[in-house]
């Protein structure tokens, strides 16, 4: 298994540009989520999904859009990039929604995004 | 709402010394508690978890943590630190409303001197 993969690893955008960060997992996990990590802020949840066709907002959803058309993929879209979205973005997945397994998250390697 | 406090931004230890990273939480019920490690340039990896039962939990890489309800703490310990333990460590508490996602602390950066 490749686990959780993210592309690209690095990206530089200009203000106002749009782009999609890709996330895929090959573990048949139901639960997927996107975080952003900023210095001194820990991880903050952007959006999450409990299965194909179902998404919901996290703590900091503004400026981001997600969809989940398949179990494997959970892309994150930046609609109009702003310098405040400069961050490291992590995708994570969990095996099930029942019991405590949902908390055992597997993280991708991250995408480092700079918005000029 | 639940919250997590990691009071130490940086911790410096010598290789071979013991380690304790502090974590305090706020939650209205019995929490689920976690420690994750993030090596430079990598994603987070689960070190250990507490759901219920024995309050001393063992994790990977020789780490352990103890849940102390009276102190609302879940401190991470290791008896002898290796240079490869240098990383960012995150404490997390769950559940988080209906999102199934833990709330993360701001992290503690561990520096290991040879």
């Amino acid at each position: 298994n490749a686990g959780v993969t993210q592309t690209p690893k690095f990206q530089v955008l200009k203000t106002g540009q749009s782009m999609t960060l890709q996330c895929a997992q090959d573990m048949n996990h139901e639960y997927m989520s996107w975080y952003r990590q900023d210095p001194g802020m820990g991880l903050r949840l952007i959006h999450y999904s409990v299965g194909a066709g179902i998404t919901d907002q996290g703590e900091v959803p503004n400026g981001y859009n997600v969809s989940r058309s398949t179990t494997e993929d959970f892309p994150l879209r930046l609609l109009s990039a702003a310098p405040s979205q400069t961050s490291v973005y992590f995708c994570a997945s969990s095996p099930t929604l029942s019991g405590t397994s949902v908390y055992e998250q597997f993280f991708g390697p991250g995408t480092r995004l700079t918005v000029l | 709402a639940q919250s997590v406090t990691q009071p130490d931004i940086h911790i410096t230890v010598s290789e071979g010394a013991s380690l304790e990273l502090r974590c305090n939480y706020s939650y209205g019920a019995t929490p689920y508690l976690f420690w994750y490690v993030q090596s430079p340039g990598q994603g987070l990896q689960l070190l250990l978890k507490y759901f219920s039962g024995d309050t001393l939990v063992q994790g990977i890489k020789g780490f352990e943590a103890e849940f102390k309800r009276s102190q609302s703490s879940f401190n991470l310990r290791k008896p002898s630190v290796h240079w490869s333990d240098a990383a960012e460590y995150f404490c997390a508490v769950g559940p988080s409303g209906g999102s199934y996602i833990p709330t993360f602390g701001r992290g503690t950066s561990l520096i290991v001197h040879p």
Side-chain angles (χ1 to χ4, degrees):
Chain A
N1 287 349
V4 180
T5 58
Q6 292 183 239
T7 55
K9 292 191 187 308
F10 302 94
Q11 183 70 48
V12 179
L13 293 178
K14 294 181 179 179
T15 297
Q17 287 185 313
S18 63
M19 80 158 294
T20 299
L21 308 185
Q22 301 291 345
C23 174
Q25 51 89 11
D26 60 358
M27 299 173 282
N28 200 32
H29 285 177
E30 295 178 82
Y31 198 88
M32 297 185 74
S33 52
W34 277 102
Y35 293 90
R36 60 178 289 172
Q37 183 181 35
D38 302 294
M41 300 290 289
L43 276 75
R44 292 184 291 171
L45 180 66
I46 305 172
H47 285 285
Y48 64 96
S49 168
V50 299
I54 307 170
T55 64
D56 206 345
Q57 296 181 351
E59 180 184 358
V60 288
N62 292 342
Y64 306 95
N65 203 358
V66 292
S67 60
R68 185 110 177 258
S69 57
T70 66
T71 300
E72 294 78 19
D73 301 299
F74 190 44
L76 177 73
R77 297 182 186 85
L78 279 70
L79 308 173
S80 177
S84 61
Q85 294 178 302
T86 294
S87 187
V88 181
Y89 292 85
F90 288 101
C91 179
S93 70
S94 304
T96 73
L97 292 171
S98 61
T100 56
S101 296
V102 66
Y103 294 101
E104 303 192 36
Q105 296 186 79
F106 294 77
F107 283 81
T111 294
R112 187 174 295 273
L113 175 69
T114 301
V115 182
L116 303 175
Chain B
Q2 63 203 43
S3 65
V4 179
T5 301
Q6 293 181 248
D8 302 306
I9 298 174
H10 302 283
I11 290 282
T12 301
V13 299
S14 298
E15 191 169 15
S18 63
L19 170 69
E20 183 169 30
L21 301 182
R22 296 184 291 165
C23 172
N24 294 99
Y25 68 89
S26 174
Y27 186 67
T30 300
Y32 297 160
L33 295 160
F34 312 86
W35 276 99
Y36 285 83
V37 59
Q38 183 183 29
S39 298
Q42 302 297 314
L44 277 71
Q45 180 184 21
L46 183 64
L47 271 179
L48 48 78
K49 56 189 182 286
Y50 171 79
F51 295 123
S52 64
D54 192 346
T55 57
L56 184 63
V57 294
Q58 303 296 322
I60 62 172
K61 305 185 180 189
F63 285 92
E64 66 178 26
E66 186 171 12
F67 169 54
K68 293 186 177 180
R69 186 189 303 276
S70 61
Q71 298 176 20
S72 298
S73 70
F74 189 57
N75 293 349
L76 181 71
R77 301 194 294 247
K78 187 169 185 178
S80 178
V81 170
H82 188 263
W83 64 265
S84 61
D85 293 324
E88 191 87 12
Y89 291 81
F90 292 92
C91 182
V93 62
S96 176
S99 73
Y100 308 98
I101 297 289
T103 298
F104 286 85
R106 296 189 174 188
T108 297
S109 179
L110 175 64
I111 301 165
V112 180
H113 282 315

